[in-house]
Amino acid sequence: MNTLFKALNDATRRKILQMLQDKDMTAGEIANEFDISKPSISHHLDILKQAKLISSERDGQFIRYAINTTVVEEVANWFLEILNKSDSS
């Protein structure tokens, strides 16, 4: 769970997740949306992959990234469960 929170604790990584909600993207396409270096984007993508929030698949010479909706849904349900428990206390 620590890896997950570390991944979500960064605005750049949250923005990447928002972008991947719309469509799968390559690292280059993602990097074009930011004013930071491509190695920095790769680092953010690695952290998101370690947290299992995104997956990657080779597409020719590119790697295409996609949001892992299963993990995102699990996290959302976990937060909702916590909120519901605190409301009933």
Side-chain angles (χ1 to χ4, degrees), residues 10-14 16 27-28 30-32 34-49 54 65:
D10 183 87
T12 299
R13 292 190 284 273
R14 291 191 304 270
I16 291 170
I30 293 168
N32 288 339
F34 294 92
D35 192 24
I36 58 177
S37 69
K38 288 185 180 183
S40 291
I41 291 295
S42 291
H43 177 70
H44 287 297
L45 291 170
D46 285 341
I47 291 172
L48 289 168
K49 279 178 59 175
I54 63 171
Y65 293 90

Side-chain angles (χ1 to χ4, degrees), residues 44-74:
H44 287 297
L45 291 170
D46 285 341
I47 291 172
L48 289 168
K49 279 178 59 175
Q50 288 172 19
K52 296 183 170 88
L53 289 167
I54 63 171
S55 61
S56 62
E57 185 175 309
R58 184 158 292 282
D59 183 12
Q61 64 180 348
F62 299 101
I63 297 176
R64 190 159 291 282
Y65 293 90
I67 193 164
N68 184 347
T69 54
T70 303
V71 172
V72 173
E73 287 173 6
E74 288 174 7

Side-chain angles (χ1 to χ4, degrees), residues 67-85:
I67 193 164
N68 184 347
T69 54
T70 303
V71 172
V72 173
E73 287 173 6
E74 288 174 7
V75 171
N77 287 335
W78 181 77
F79 276 120
L80 289 173
E81 188 177 306
I82 288 174
L83 291 173
N84 288 335
K85 284 182 181 178

Side-chain angles (χ1 to χ4, degrees), residues 16-29:
I16 291 170
L17 289 172
Q18 288 175 329
M19 292 166 49
L20 292 174
Q21 282 180 320
D22 296 331
K23 64 178 180 173
D24 297 353
M25 301 173 78
T26 65
E29 291 170 330

